Amino acid sequence: MYTIGLIRVLTMRDEEKINLHGKMIEKAFNELKVISKCIEDQPLGIYDEISEEVAKPKILKLIKEFEAMNVDAVVVSCAADPAVEEARRTSKIPVIGAGSATASIALSYGERIGVLKLTEEVPRVMKRILGRHLVAEEKPEGVKNPVDLMQESGIKASIKALEKLLEAEVDVIIPGCTGFSTINFIDIVRKISNKLFIDPVLASGSVALGILKQLNKRGEIK
Amino acid sequence: MYTIGLIRVLTMRDEEKINLHGKMIEKAFNELKVISKCIEDQPLGIYDEISEEVAKPKILKLIKEFEAMNVDAVVVSCAADPAVEEARRTSKIPVIGAGSATASIALSYGERIGVLKLTEEVPRVMKRILGRHLVAEEKPEGVKNPVDLMQESGIKASIKALEKLLEAEVDVIIPGCTGFSTINFIDIVRKISNKLFIDPVLASGSVALGILKQLNKRGEIK
């Protein structure tokens, strides 16, 4: 059994909502137990470069708190991998970013990857990892942040954007925001298409488990 | 519970040796059951472009056999991903190549990746996925194929090559051959360095599990 510290980059008060991503991981991977924390004062989350920069020190602080709690790994549940590069420089435990985990899993399944973006830009970390395998990108009209995505109109716009991506003959579609995990968009995609759509929270869980299995330190059954 | 069909690209008669990679995956991931098969007439495995081309139709035949057996996914346990691209075009189940799985997992952990090659060239699929993240490569002197690697001299030469790679300030080291899994090289690395070294067979298992969790079809407890 391994314990994962998971960081939500959206400020919430409701424990059930804070724990949603962690519960998804626990349900899928029976060796992982997840403790979740969310950053303060960002009720709209991370949705552009400024909101990402503001969030970084808060994320680094939470990673330190998780390290002090002796978790086995940390997952930053955001497709932009905010503060992940910085944290890896000092952290003694694996720090997994949802963006790099999702892009990586996509590359182990196919060559032509399409990104369903939340905003104008595909997260930089995804662009960097996908390189020339990023062959198409679309964004849902009228959606500006993860909160917009949770509305009925946001879901409808996302389905339209997905349909455009499917026309591009991609092997895999990945979302550019973990908000798509929050609305369980993978279940909608499964009804529309048999193309692989990668849920970034599940991807983070599988990568965390995969990395932990490579390390010397073995999780003990508790 | 999911069933994985695993293809060994080295011809062997000893069931225990054939099943070695599969047992590693089963030991690490309690949701995976592995059935192994090996290709015929290649006692030295795949170690260059010609031996890869000769192996491809044999691998595609085994993938078809596995599909007829209703496995949930196939793992081609070779870092060159032989026949993986071809198989994905027609296969209805996920086909995971050890090369792409290993390179992908590396990218979800760090930016500077070093490859411990078996032969002169880094497998093409690894080069393609790593892109500019491939920052160093070394090969063990005097090793020409996976069988050389299993000798005492092959292991010594691999340790020397590893030490050179560690000088290149890489974040992660990945081997360019699943022969390094066969000799359990990860345990040797763990004694020498605390850098992450990715075992390609374990990487294949974690990626297979991660992809299966994304699919609609749920594995049932048998």
Side-chain angles (χ1 to χ4, degrees):
Chain A
M1 197 76 181
Y2 300 98
T3 304
I4 305 290
L6 184 140
I7 298 173
R8 300 295 307 267
V9 299
L10 193 67
T11 310
M12 293 171 284
R13 292 281 163 249
D14 179 340
E15 281 296 320
E16 204 175 310
K17 284 183 183 167
I18 294 172
N19 291 327
L20 179 72
H21 291 182
K23 293 292 169 204
M24 288 174 65
I25 291 176
E26 287 183 347
K27 202 178 156 196
F29 303 98
N30 56 14
E31 277 193 86
L32 301 181
K33 187 185 171 309
V34 184
I35 304 166
S36 300
K37 290 173 184 268
C38 66
I39 59 171
E40 293 295 320
D41 302 324
Q42 293 202 220
L44 296 179
I46 292 177
Y47 48 89
D48 62 11
E49 287 194 20
I50 294 168
S51 56
E52 185 178 337
E53 287 309 313
V54 172
K56 278 184 178 181
K58 304 176 191 176
I59 294 168
L60 291 170
K61 184 172 161 275
L62 292 184
I63 293 175
K64 284 216 168 119
E65 285 179 28
F66 275 131
E67 285 196 274
M69 289 167 73
N70 283 317
V71 302
D72 297 296
V74 171
V75 164
V76 180
S77 196
C78 172
D81 272 25
V84 168
E85 202 185 315
E86 292 87 338
R88 281 177 182 158
R89 275 184 223 130
T90 54
S91 183
K92 283 184 173 61
I93 56 172
V95 178
I96 309 301
S100 47
T102 308
S104 305
I105 287 280
L107 287 178
S108 64
Y109 188 81
E111 292 187 36
R112 295 174 56 83
I113 320 294
V115 178
L116 185 58
K117 313 179 276 190
L118 182 74
T119 51
E120 292 305 325
E121 295 290 331
V122 170
R124 274 189 311 259
V125 65
M126 286 186 158
K127 270 192 190 168
R128 176 169 65 66
I129 288 180
L130 294 175
R132 63 185 179 84
H133 297 282
L134 171 59
V135 296
E137 48 186 273
E138 291 292 338
K139 82 173 275 307
E141 257 187 67
V143 171
K144 285 187 190 67
N145 58 53
V147 176
D148 288 344
L149 191 63
M150 291 177 208
Q151 317 307 316
E152 191 64 35
S153 58
I155 295 172
K156 273 192 186 160
S158 299
I159 293 172
K160 272 197 181 168
L162 171 75
E163 283 165 348
K164 274 192 203 163
L165 271 177
L166 288 169
E167 287 168 19
E169 289 185 28
V170 290
D171 300 323
V172 188
I173 292 170
I174 61 175
C177 174
T178 52
F180 287 97
S181 298
T182 308
I183 63 169
N184 201 18
F185 197 67
I186 191 169
D187 266 3
I188 296 172
V189 180
R190 284 165 175 167
K191 282 174 201 147
I192 296 173
S193 165
N194 57 7
K195 285 279 177 204
L196 185 67
F197 176 89
I198 298 188
D199 180 283
V201 170
L202 287 182
S204 304
S206 71
V207 165
L209 182 64
I211 297 285
L212 286 167
K213 291 289 177 184
Q214 301 284 352
L215 299 175
N216 219 345
K217 195 188 150 207
R218 297 285 180 190
E220 284 167 40
I221 307 291
K222 280 166 193 163
Chain B
M1 197 75 182
Y2 300 98
T3 304
I4 305 290
L6 183 140
I7 297 173
R8 300 296 305 269
V9 299
L10 193 66
T11 310
M12 293 170 283
R13 292 281 162 250
D14 180 341
E15 281 297 320
E16 203 175 311
K17 285 183 182 167
I18 294 172
N19 292 327
L20 179 71
H21 291 180
K23 293 292 169 203
M24 288 174 65
I25 291 176
E26 287 183 347
K27 201 178 156 196
F29 303 99
N30 57 14
E31 278 193 86
L32 301 180
K33 188 187 170 306
V34 184
I35 303 166
S36 301
K37 290 174 184 269
C38 66
I39 60 170
E40 293 295 319
D41 303 324
Q42 293 202 221
L44 295 179
I46 292 177
Y47 49 88
D48 62 11
E49 286 194 19
I50 294 168
S51 56
E52 184 177 339
E53 287 310 313
V54 173
K56 277 184 178 181
K58 303 176 192 174
I59 294 167
L60 291 170
K61 184 171 161 275
L62 292 184
I63 293 175
K64 282 215 169 121
E65 284 178 29
F66 275 131
E67 284 195 275
M69 290 167 74
N70 282 317
V71 302
D72 296 296
V74 171
V75 164
V76 180
S77 195
C78 172
D81 273 24
V84 167
E85 202 185 315
E86 293 86 339
R88 281 176 181 158
R89 276 185 221 129
T90 54
S91 184
K92 284 185 173 59
I93 56 172
V95 178
I96 308 301
S100 47
T102 309
S104 304
I105 287 280
L107 288 179
S108 64
Y109 189 80
E111 292 187 37
R112 295 174 56 83
I113 319 294
V115 178
L116 185 58
K117 314 180 276 190
L118 183 74
T119 52
E120 293 304 324
E121 296 289 331
V122 170
R124 273 189 310 260
V125 64
M126 286 187 158
K127 271 192 189 169
R128 175 167 65 67
I129 288 179
L130 295 176
R132 63 186 179 83
H133 297 282
L134 171 59
V135 296
E137 48 185 273
E138 290 293 338
K139 82 173 277 307
E141 258 187 66
V143 171
K144 285 187 189 67
N145 58 53
V147 177
D148 289 343
L149 191 62
M150 289 178 211
Q151 316 308 316
E152 192 64 35
S153 57
I155 295 172
K156 274 192 185 159
S158 300
I159 293 172
K160 273 198 180 168
L162 171 76
E163 283 164 348
K164 275 192 202 161
L165 271 177
L166 288 169
E167 287 167 18
E169 289 185 28
V170 291
D171 300 323
V172 188
I173 293 171
I174 61 175
C177 174
T178 52
F180 287 97
S181 297
T182 308
I183 63 169
N184 201 19
F185 196 68
I186 191 170
D187 266 2
I188 296 172
V189 181
R190 284 166 175 166
K191 281 174 203 150
I192 295 173
S193 164
N194 57 7
K195 285 279 176 205
L196 185 67
F197 176 88
I198 298 188
D199 180 283
V201 170
L202 286 184
S204 304
S206 71
V207 164
L209 181 63
I211 297 286
L212 286 167
K213 291 289 177 184
Q214 302 283 354
L215 298 176
N216 219 346
K217 195 188 150 209
R218 297 286 179 190
E220 283 167 41
I221 307 292
K222 278 165 194 164

